[in-house]
Amino acid sequence: VEAGGTLPVWVTLLSIKSRELANQRELAGMIGIQGATLTHHLNAMETQGLLTRRRDPENRRVHQVELTEAGEALFLKLRTAALAFDKRLRTGLSDDRLAEFAEVLATLRANVE
């Protein structure tokens, strides 16, 4: 997987997959990256046959982004790897400890905002 590495590709695939039809502006906001950087990733992923972009018929300034069959297959492969990693990461941690950790992170985030 190219396009800047596996993480940007995974985050982009996940963001597209979480929407029925996503547009580039929405994706940039969901992923938290600048539009030009996203365009670079999308160009590379489109070249690799992972997604397609087309103009929204109702707003020609907006590009709709959809996964191709190859993009769907890669999403499933990466999802399997992500779930396995998440399971390994959480080994030995109870749901209570994880909830407490999430609360601490939320407090830390609130303190800096």
Side-chain angles (χ1 to χ4, degrees):
V1 174
E2 296 172 21
T6 304
L7 184 58
V9 171
W10 166 243
V11 171
T12 302
L13 291 172
L14 182 60
S15 297
I16 294 169
K17 189 73 175 160
S18 70
R19 310 240 341 152
E20 190 66 30
L21 258 180
N23 71 52
Q24 283 188 220
R25 187 171 301 132
E26 292 170 337
L27 286 174
M30 290 168 64
I31 296 170
I33 61 176
Q34 298 293 322
T37 302
L38 177 63
T39 298
H40 169 74
H41 289 302
L42 294 178
N43 286 342
M45 292 173 70
E46 190 170 31
T47 298
Q48 295 171 12
L50 300 174
L51 57 87
T52 59
R53 288 181 285 184
R54 62 181 168 78
R55 296 229 183 248
D56 184 333
E58 295 179 18
N59 184 348
R60 304 276 307 146
R61 295 175 296 166
V62 174
H63 284 94
Q64 298 290 343
V65 183
E66 295 179 275
L67 296 183
T68 62
E69 200 171 302
E72 293 279 353
L74 182 59
F75 171 79
L76 293 174
K77 180 180 176 183
L78 293 176
R79 181 182 70 178
T80 299
L83 290 172
F85 179 74
D86 184 65
K87 183 177 180 181
R88 190 174 117 215
L89 190 64
R90 294 169 185 258
T91 298
L93 297 171
S94 68
D95 289 343
D96 289 342
R97 284 200 66 201
L98 289 170
E100 183 179 348
F101 180 61
E103 287 177 30
V104 169
L105 289 177
T107 301
L108 291 172
R109 182 179 194 166
N111 288 345
V112 297
E113 290 179 343

